[in-house]
Amino acid sequence: MNQDLILETRGLVKEFKGFTAVDDVNLKVERGTIHALIGPNGAGKTTVFNLLTKFLTPTRGQLLFNGQDITRKDSASIAHMGIVRSFQISAVFPHLTVLENVRVALQQKRKDTFAFWRSEKILDELNDRALALLDSVGLREFSHALAVDLPYGRKRSLEIATTLALDPELLLLDEPTQGMGHEDISVVADLIKEVGKNRTILMVEHNLNVVADLSDTITVLQRGAILTEGNYETVSADPRVREAYMGVEEDPLEGEGGEGNAPVVEASV
Amino acid sequence: MYNKKLNLVLLGLALVAPFVLYPVFLMKVLCFALFACAFNLLLGFAGLLSFGHAVFLGTGAYVTGYVMTTYGLTPELGILAGVAMSALVGLVYGKLAVRREGIYFAMVTLALAQLAFFFYLQTPFTGGEDGLQGIPRGNLFGLIDLTDNMTMYYFVLAVFIGGFLTIYRTIHSPFGQVMKAIRENEPRAISLGYKVNQYKLMAFVISATLAGLAGSTKALVFQLASLTDVHWFMSGEVVLMTLLGGMGTIWGPVLGAASIISMQNLLASGPLANYIHVVMGVVFVICVLAFRKGLVGELQKVLRKNSG
């Protein structure tokens, strides 16, 4: 058991007024892997995610990042430590330009974020890095557009560029391909693959094609508890996984906007 | 939108205005314009609706009035004292208010402002219902006599420009960028590692300080500090001025304040004198229903359409 764990949860529990949304979850995320968290609707994926990013406080249990206890830290602090999350609905700053969106993230590491008496022109020295980041997600030509005017898929790309600006050790992606069409999905999936080469990624994802394609490890949640864990072959061969999905919806394995994708688990069972 | 030529024209107009219009009226407009700009910094750029901003205007007015009357300080020191006290109250109130969001933030600021109102009503140094009257304007730096309305006007204009430039710079500063990011998407700003409450508090204190500056200056202009300045009507009026002019725009609050003050002056001497609040209410409803971006906001939209 001498794995190099970047993130670990021990006996994580979250109760909402008599309802246990997350029940004794022990999650181990290995450094350098892409780890996916899947499960039917209401399985507690987003709750786990919000616990990890400190947007919710656990009722019981412990969170460890690089062996350090982060259970009591707040969201902004863990961002400084190197854990940065994305959101289910695209999280950009709509009425800032695309360039400014990335720059706000780059700015965070500077000491002058409270300087209200200095001109914002001093931030121009961040432009080269911001443009390089935009280049890496194919948004350079839109740098002066307002983020609100970008089509949905590009907003997600912008969000990833903004997240990368912080150079995080661990990236938490909340349904990165939700609500996207075919072409956008493959663009974002490629982006995640590229980004994951030198980082650890933990993502919640509905679209099982994406999960199968990207993940090294998959954790399946059901009713707040871990059902099974392993690589795609192991997980998809598990009859309980199929049952968990089939018990909820008629055709649950398709991601939104992924119409036409063969539900991969079904095919391989 | 920020255009050097336009600014020079406006500056020129401001310099010759007292030869055409009544200087006290112009000074009133400038004081309220500064007040509205300070309020707009918080609402339009940090996304925080304070419903108790009168407390900072009133604190500036009372403290400046008190030290000028009692200690016979020069006006610049009197203003400094008023501004410092407003900043301090802003710091305490801000610390309590920024812990809450949205409607709760507004309610906390309203409650705290009411607290201050009753304090100023009861405490002896404010003169209760009578207010502080006959506040001396004094000699600026001990040299320039401000009794003359023309001299006073140029002093008030200088104060306004100073305050306005501070706000402009704050909006276009590294801090301003973070402030706008928080306005646009607070959870995202948090996830990028910003401790948003500290930035909100900073914006709150800057806004309170400048509102105090407006109050201090106003007390010298009218040589009066009264309960009107701390009443919640005043907190509402500044919301109206800002929305009418266009929140989140640089010039909106200035135009909004000028419109409202002019309207009040015109109505006060006409047959509608008793219905001023009714008329203002109607204006507010029309503004919110028909042109939500305010005068300047709508103008910008038209200009943008024509240019693009």
Side-chain angles (χ1 to χ4, degrees):
Chain A
M1 291 298 282
N2 248 347
Q3 305 150 302
D4 182 12
L5 297 180
I6 185 165
L7 185 75
E8 191 184 356
T9 71
R10 290 184 185 157
L12 200 62
V13 175
K14 178 68 188 177
E15 290 166 351
F16 296 104
K17 295 202 172 154
F19 166 69
T20 309
V22 173
D23 189 7
D24 192 27
V25 167
N26 296 292
L27 196 67
K28 291 180 165 62
V29 181
E30 268 181 79
R31 188 181 310 283
T33 60
I34 299 183
H35 193 127
L37 204 55
I38 65 168
N41 287 331
K45 302 180 300 279
T46 299
T47 312
V48 168
F49 207 77
N50 283 330
L51 289 169
L52 294 176
T53 51
K54 318 304 298 177
F55 275 67
L56 288 173
T57 321
T59 313
R60 279 189 296 283
Q62 238 188 338
L63 290 169
L64 299 173
F65 176 62
N66 285 331
Q68 204 182 336
D69 191 332
I70 55 163
T71 318
R72 301 271 157 247
K73 296 235 189 284
D74 65 29
S75 295
S77 306
I78 66 161
H80 282 274
M81 296 173 74
I83 307 179
V84 181
R85 74 170 287 181
S86 73
F87 291 80
Q88 207 167 75
I89 29 168
S90 85
V92 294
F93 302 113
H95 294 97
L96 299 185
T97 66
V98 168
L99 184 73
E100 282 172 329
N101 262 268
V102 179
R103 240 171 39 175
V104 165
L106 289 171
Q107 204 190 331
Q108 188 254 96
K109 293 212 162 74
R110 291 164 66 102
K111 291 195 168 46
D112 57 12
T113 52
F114 279 103
F116 65 86
W117 57 91
R118 301 192 67 178
S119 167
E120 64 189 347
K121 290 208 174 67
I122 55 170
L123 295 177
D124 285 350
E125 61 192 54
L126 298 173
N127 285 1
D128 288 346
R129 271 177 65 206
L131 285 171
L133 281 161
L134 287 175
D135 236 351
S136 69
V137 299
L139 285 178
R140 192 190 185 107
E141 55 187 308
F142 300 100
S143 63
H144 291 291
L146 287 181
V148 67
D149 296 333
L150 292 181
Y152 189 76
R154 293 201 196 279
K155 276 188 193 146
R156 302 291 329 212
S157 302
L158 173 59
E159 196 186 335
I160 290 174
T162 309
T163 307
L164 290 179
L166 292 178
D167 198 15
E169 247 185 286
L170 174 62
L171 223 78
L172 302 172
L173 305 175
D174 194 359
E175 309 213 3
T177 66
Q178 200 207 23
M180 281 188 184
H182 268 311
E183 311 80 33
D184 283 342
I185 288 181
S186 61
V187 169
V188 170
D190 287 345
L191 204 57
I192 294 172
K193 207 180 273 179
E194 183 63 35
V195 169
K197 276 181 185 158
N198 36 26
R199 284 188 180 76
T200 315
I201 295 179
L202 173 66
M203 62 178 182
V204 167
E205 180 56 58
H206 258 313
N207 187 317
L208 289 202
N209 285 338
V210 175
V211 171
D213 183 29
L214 295 176
S215 332
D216 302 302
T217 317
I218 298 170
T219 301
V220 185
L221 282 178
Q222 188 193 17
R223 293 193 205 98
I226 294 182
L227 186 64
T228 181
E229 202 168 37
N231 62 17
Y232 185 71
E233 285 69 33
T234 327
V235 168
S236 59
D238 192 325
R240 288 176 306 167
V241 174
R242 189 194 148 97
E243 195 190 322
Y245 270 87
M246 295 310 280
V248 183
E249 285 172 21
E250 200 177 317
D251 199 6
L253 296 181
E254 285 185 65
E256 274 176 59
E259 69 262 62
N261 292 348
V264 189
V265 173
E266 261 190 45
S268 58
V269 170
Chain B
M1 284 295 125
Y2 190 66
N3 181 320
K4 271 205 173 109
K5 259 183 205 159
L6 176 72
N7 290 344
L8 282 176
V9 171
L10 286 171
L11 181 64
L13 284 177
L15 286 173
V16 299
F19 295 100
V20 185
L21 293 161
Y22 185 43
V24 174
F25 164 75
L26 291 171
M27 287 191 275
K28 188 177 179 185
V29 168
L30 287 176
C31 289
F32 277 100
L34 180 56
F35 182 36
C37 286
F39 174 80
N40 181 47
L41 177 69
L42 203 55
L43 176 62
F45 294 94
L48 296 171
L49 171 60
S50 158
F51 207 72
H53 245 49
V55 65
F56 307 117
L57 185 81
T59 300
Y62 274 130
V63 172
T64 299
Y66 181 74
V67 299
M68 293 291 291
T69 315
T70 316
Y71 303 111
L73 293 183
T74 49
E76 72 281 359
L77 291 177
I79 288 179
L80 198 65
V83 168
M85 188 51 88
S86 299
L88 194 67
V89 176
L91 184 67
V92 175
Y93 278 21
K95 265 228 176 275
L96 293 168
V98 296
R99 294 152 184 256
R100 292 289 171 265
E101 280 161 37
I103 187 76
Y104 300 102
F105 175 86
M107 288 299 115
V108 171
T109 54
L110 174 61
L112 290 171
Q114 283 305 89
L115 203 97
F117 174 81
F118 287 105
F119 171 76
Y120 286 127
L121 177 65
Q122 296 299 335
T123 192
F125 90 88
T126 59
E129 305 266 1
D130 299 332
L132 288 172
Q133 297 179 8
I135 299 166
R137 283 182 184 171
N139 296 326
L140 186 62
F141 304 117
L143 299 170
I144 307 161
D145 185 8
L146 292 179
T147 320
D148 179 48
N149 275 340
M150 282 305 244
T151 324
M152 186 66 192
Y153 172 80
Y154 289 107
F155 172 63
V156 174
L157 182 63
V159 169
F160 170 79
I161 292 174
F164 185 81
L165 289 179
T166 307
I167 289 167
Y168 182 80
R169 174 41 64 87
T170 303
I171 292 166
H172 297 279
S173 71
F175 171 72
Q177 279 287 322
V178 181
M179 198 168 65
K180 282 180 255 183
I182 293 170
R183 172 194 71 187
E184 290 293 311
N185 192 335
E186 186 170 334
R188 181 56 170 165
I190 295 172
S191 80
L192 292 179
Y194 287 109
K195 308 207 172 204
V196 295
N197 282 358
Q198 295 177 6
Y199 294 88
K200 286 182 183 175
L201 178 60
M202 176 78 128
F204 196 88
V205 173
I206 295 173
S207 174
T209 307
L210 292 166
L213 178 63
S216 296
T217 314
K218 184 171 163 295
L220 291 183
V221 170
F222 293 100
Q223 304 186 278
L224 174 74
S226 71
L227 286 173
T228 322
D229 299 337
V230 279
H231 200 276
W232 64 271
F233 281 177
M234 188 60 84
S235 301
E237 210 158 276
V238 77
V239 178
L240 174 58
M241 288 174 183
T242 307
L243 290 188
L244 179 67
M247 75 170 197
T249 63
I250 302 276
W251 287 106
V254 180
L255 191 63
S259 317
I260 297 284
I261 301 290
S262 311
M263 206 167 71
Q264 285 174 346
N265 268 29
L266 286 175
L267 292 177
S269 54
L272 284 173
N274 294 327
Y275 298 93
I276 288 184
H277 287 107
V278 177
V279 176
M280 299 230 304
V282 170
V283 169
F284 190 61
V285 170
I286 293 174
C287 169
V288 171
L289 289 180
F291 49 107
R292 221 167 295 174
K293 288 169 190 286
L295 298 170
V296 172
E298 296 293 337
L299 190 69
Q300 281 177 346
K301 209 165 77 181
V302 171
L303 289 176
R304 213 170 289 150
K305 239 178 224 163
N306 289 348
S307 69

